[in-house]
Amino acid sequence: MKHYSHRTLLPFLGKVIVTSLIIIMNIGICAAQSAGLKIHYLGANHSLVQVREPQKYLLLPVEEAAPEATVNVLVNNKTDRSFQVRLAVNRIDYLVPFDLEQYKGKTVTFDIHTGNSRANVRDAMADACWKELKLSDTFDDANREEFRPLYHHSPLYGWMNDPNGMFYKDGEYHLYYQWNPYGSMWGNMNWGHSSSKDLISWQHHPVAIQPNGLGTVFSGSSVVDKDNTAGFGKGAVIAIYTSAGASQMQSLAYSLDNGMTFHVYENNPIIAADKECRDPNMFWHEKSGKWILILAAALEKEMWIYSSPDLKNWTKESSFGHGYGAQDGVWECPDLMELPVRGTDRTKWVLICNINPGGPFGGSAAQYFVGDFDGKTFTCDTKPEITKWMDYGKDHYAAVSWSNAPEKRHTVIAWMSNWQYANNVPTKQFRSANTLPRDIELYEGSDGELYLAVIPAPEVNALRAGKALKYGSFSAGTKKVSRKLPAENSGICEINLELVPRSAGKVYITLSNDKDERTVMTYDLENSTFSMDRTARGLTDFNKDFPAITVAPCPAEAKLRLRLFVDRCSVEAFEGDGRFAMTNLVFPQHPYTTVSVAVDKGRCKVNDLTVNSLKVNN
């Protein structure tokens, strides 16, 4: 028998200990335990998370600067769905929930492929997400944002863009929207869903339509099929939307419970083309006895017009747009409607066309065309080189109307942001809100052209709370005259103002606080314009395209009436008769406390200044 000295045994024992430690480390790399979860680290960019003790949610830690990870949801080892999420690498910005209740009684595993640049498994294990990936029976959606609007619609959490699929039925307005439930940046397009009885107080509902094998769920529209033309039932709600996968095609879904849940039509797609086409918008055309659908041929910068007897089989009738209006960006989110001409018994057709980029002040905006529609073809009254804008701010896009609205109203709402900086605005829990709802009609301008009149929907008046601040009439010169805004609700208010310019060349209306943060509006009589300047202070440096001065045509007249709506992150200005609207985001770090009036020369008179505090009564 061979004998070993202690000098011989020590190196051997050292190797045994090191080998044992490596085995232990490798066991840790292969699988880690977190309450109710088992995490398998399979590679530098690949992990498997098994749900062992299900709760209502899996909470996913998000870092917005992180690359997107692809998450495949395996149910009983079969792929049920996939989505992208920016799983935290260095720090956690916020958590988003994945709903596990839909898989009760089934085995759920998350197959995760990250986009990080980790060199090996051990480095990947240090990613911040793994420390806070957890199961929970609750998700805290309480507002933690200083810039969340008080009275504008916004999602509880996550990213929102285009409003779509909007309809009215049985006393409720339904608003769907492009929604990313897995982060506050664009991606994973679903149809989020909110409803309201008064266009002011919104109730949030579970996701309405989710991605499937044909792609994610882009914008579209919904109608109430009162006569069961589609065969899904009398009064069924029919939605047609863009399925965005490797290509874009149009799909149908139907609801038998007033839009709360949708069934995806098994014979999708219902419209396919070899061009990039999206955002179908449909309505019933009484004179032709058919459904009409407008489809945006985005890159062709055209709108394609289809007809159908049953919402399932569509015939292309014509196209409109080549060479008309603003052509600098893609055409999206159409809407076609017949509107009354104010003060007459006439009606004309209006085709709304949202464009990105190519807006009057950069980025996205909404233009429109006035003309005639015969059930097949839209004919524009205006010369091709003329562009008419629905709103002269930077933050009004994807404007579309509610179908089946009561009293034949034409009520629209738009996304209150701009594609230049929408992903960068200074919020985290959510991103983006919608504009105030607005009623539209046509009026004849002094040049004989027809233009859209845009006024806040009358329901907005119900926001007024408490006693109004009535400042009456006063005179203003080159030294500004200031009046206080309400102290309650952080100065959130509606300002009604009637100006008589007199000898002034320019009248300045300024919202400000004692930190010298301000938004300045200028009524320029010499140039017949109204402008809004948001370059002064506040948060503006998150994107180079955010600081801006926006300008609207505004006739120089003896009087100017203005309605200004101030929320935590926005100012919406309306000329009293709706001859212009201007919507801009603003991010003052302290609430505005005063409104002031001054002129460049001479004097002006303020006939009336009334300020109402605004509040949502839920």
Side-chain angles (χ1 to χ4, degrees):
M1 182 176 180
K2 190 171 181 180
H3 295 277
Y4 295 92
S5 69
H6 68 281
R7 290 182 180 177
T8 306
L9 284 171
L10 283 175
F12 173 76
L13 291 171
K15 289 179 181 179
V16 171
I17 293 170
V18 170
T19 302
S20 300
L21 287 172
I22 290 172
I23 292 170
I24 291 169
M25 286 177 66
N26 283 336
I27 290 171
I29 290 171
C30 291
Q33 294 290 134
S34 181
L37 299 173
K38 189 172 184 179
I39 305 174
H40 300 267
Y41 301 99
L42 304 176
N45 299 97
H46 189 199
S47 298
L48 206 66
V49 178
Q50 294 177 306
V51 179
R52 294 299 181 88
E53 299 171 14
Q55 296 187 49
K56 187 173 183 179
Y57 301 112
L58 175 67
L59 300 183
L60 302 165
V62 174
E63 178 188 359
E64 294 194 337
E68 286 188 329
T70 297
V71 179
N72 300 308
V73 183
L74 309 181
V75 180
N76 294 342
N77 290 325
K78 295 181 179 179
T79 302
D80 179 75
R81 70 185 62 189
S82 298
F83 62 92
Q84 282 70 47
V85 60
R86 297 176 184 272
L87 287 176
V89 176
N90 299 303
R91 70 172 192 277
I92 297 171
D93 291 330
Y94 49 81
L95 302 174
V96 293
F98 181 89
D99 183 8
L100 290 170
E101 283 207 320
Q102 59 192 311
Y103 303 121
K104 275 186 176 179
K106 300 177 181 178
T107 301
V108 181
T109 302
F110 295 87
D111 180 28
I112 301 174
H113 298 261
T114 61
N116 62 45
S117 56
R118 300 304 195 193
N120 53 57
V121 180
R122 279 182 290 278
D123 288 347
M125 288 171 63
D127 286 354
C129 60
W130 307 120
K131 299 181 183 69
E132 290 297 326
L133 187 72
K134 59 187 177 184
L135 296 165
S136 175
D137 280 327
T138 60
F139 173 67
D140 181 12
D141 58 19
N143 180 38
R144 294 176 291 280
E145 296 279 359
E146 62 178 317
F147 293 123
R148 183 183 286 276
L150 177 70
Y151 57 87
H152 290 81
H153 171 266
S154 61
L156 281 176
Y157 64 93
W159 164 275
M160 180 184 76
N161 58 289
D162 306 358
N164 44 227
M166 297 141 54
F167 71 93
Y168 175 87
K169 189 173 187 285
D170 296 340
E172 285 195 304
Y173 292 89
H174 291 265
L175 168 61
Y176 302 88
Y177 50 88
Q178 294 287 277
W179 186 44
N180 180 8
Y182 306 120
S184 298
M185 300 178 77
W186 184 89
N188 301 303
M189 288 296 96
N190 294 250
W191 270 24
H193 181 202
S194 300
S195 65
S196 175
K197 295 182 183 299
D198 59 8
L199 291 172
I200 295 171
S201 302
W202 294 95
Q203 182 179 357
H204 298 281
H205 303 290
V207 63
I209 305 177
Q210 301 182 24
N212 57 29
L214 293 181
T216 57
V217 187
F218 276 15
S219 294
S221 60
S222 298
V223 294
V224 179
D225 188 8
K226 298 176 182 178
D227 297 322
N228 192 25
T229 62
F232 298 115
K234 192 172 183 178
V237 177
I238 311 298
I240 298 181
Y241 58 91
T242 299
S243 289
S247 298
Q248 295 181 359
M249 60 198 84
Q250 315 317 311
S251 293
L252 182 149
Y254 61 95
S255 174
L256 305 178
D257 57 3
N258 282 2
M260 300 307 294
T261 59
F262 281 87
H263 308 276
V264 175
Y265 181 47
E266 62 272 15
N267 291 323
N268 285 331
I270 56 169
I271 300 176
D274 61 355
K275 306 291 184 182
E276 189 171 301
C277 299
R278 53 181 172 266
D279 312 334
N281 194 290
M282 55 183 168
F283 64 95
W284 177 256
H285 186 245
E286 195 68 41
K287 289 182 180 179
S288 65
K290 291 183 179 180
W291 294 101
I292 301 297
L293 182 145
I294 317 299
L295 189 62
L299 302 180
E300 308 304 306
K301 301 171 186 177
E302 289 185 337
M303 297 302 180
W304 292 353
I305 298 174
Y306 292 76
S307 69
S308 171
D310 60 6
L311 292 164
K312 294 182 287 191
N313 299 287
W314 293 91
T315 300
K316 186 177 179 183
E317 301 285 2
S318 63
S319 63
F320 166 80
H322 184 67
Y324 275 82
Q327 292 270 322
D328 291 342
V330 298
W331 282 24
E332 296 183 318
C333 301
D335 201 347
L336 180 61
M337 65 194 75
E338 188 176 15
L339 293 178
V341 179
R342 180 184 286 169
T344 75
D345 57 1
R346 291 190 298 154
T347 62
K348 293 290 282 187
W349 286 82
V350 172
L351 175 59
I352 296 172
C353 166
N354 293 273
I355 181 173
N356 175 58
F361 309 104
S364 40
Q367 63 178 325
Y368 66 93
F369 305 93
V370 180
D372 295 301
F373 179 65
D374 62 4
K376 292 188 176 184
T377 304
F378 175 79
T379 305
C380 184
D381 289 348
T382 309
K383 294 178 180 178
E385 61 270 21
I386 293 176
T387 303
K388 296 178 179 179
W389 301 104
M390 285 187 73
D391 189 287
Y392 286 88
K394 281 200 57 121
D395 299 300
H396 176 275
Y397 189 63
V400 287
S401 65
W402 269 275
S403 70
N404 198 45
E407 301 172 356
K408 296 184 178 180
R409 286 175 61 182
H410 296 277
T411 304
V412 301
I413 199 168
W415 179 48
M416 196 162 60
S417 196
N418 190 304
W419 279 115
Q420 288 181 324
Y421 44 75
N423 277 300
N424 310 122
V425 296
T427 62
K428 286 292 178 73
Q429 181 190 22
F430 81 102
R431 275 208 179 85
S432 300
N434 287 319
T435 65
L436 284 175
R438 305 159 183 209
D439 283 358
I440 57 175
E441 62 180 352
L442 290 166
Y443 73 94
E444 186 172 331
S446 58
D447 59 359
E449 288 273 341
L450 293 178
Y451 297 92
L452 273 183
V454 180
I455 59 173
E459 287 86 349
V460 170
N461 295 340
L463 288 167
R464 295 170 182 168
K467 189 175 180 180
L469 299 174
K470 296 185 177 182
Y471 291 117
S473 63
F474 55 90
S475 179
T478 55
K479 184 178 180 180
K480 68 181 181 181
V481 177
S482 298
R483 296 291 184 264
K484 290 183 179 180
L485 296 178
E488 60 269 22
N489 293 335
S490 301
I492 294 168
C493 63
E494 174 193 353
I495 301 169
N496 282 273
L497 185 68
E498 184 175 277
L499 296 169
V500 180
R502 289 186 174 173
S503 57
K506 297 178 180 178
V507 182
Y508 307 108
I509 305 107
T510 302
L511 304 171
S512 61
N513 57 32
D514 59 5
K515 307 298 181 184
D516 200 29
E517 296 177 305
R518 58 192 182 276
T519 295
V520 182
M521 289 157 278
T522 303
Y523 179 32
D524 185 338
L525 285 91
E526 295 170 357
N527 294 299
S528 298
T529 61
F530 177 89
S531 65
M532 189 183 303
D533 182 348
R534 67 177 183 194
T535 62
R537 305 239 176 181
L539 295 177
T540 62
D541 60 355
F542 53 84
N543 185 283
K544 65 180 178 59
D545 292 313
F546 185 80
I549 300 173
T550 59
V551 185
C554 181
E557 296 180 345
K559 291 180 184 178
L560 174 68
R561 291 188 300 117
L562 288 173
R563 292 183 74 184
L564 308 175
F565 289 86
V566 183
D567 208 335
R568 290 193 180 103
C569 67
S570 63
V571 176
E572 289 168 280
F574 298 88
E575 190 273 335
D577 291 322
R579 290 182 293 180
F580 72 77
M582 184 176 289
T583 304
N584 283 315
L585 294 175
V586 293
F587 296 100
Q589 296 181 81
H590 303 274
Y592 292 137
T593 54
T594 62
V595 56
S596 62
V597 180
V599 298
D600 63 336
K601 62 182 181 182
R603 300 194 69 80
C604 82
K605 183 183 179 183
V606 176
N607 271 355
D608 178 67
L609 173 60
T610 302
V611 182
N612 290 92
S613 181
L614 301 182
K615 183 179 179 182
V616 176
N617 296 311
N618 290 317

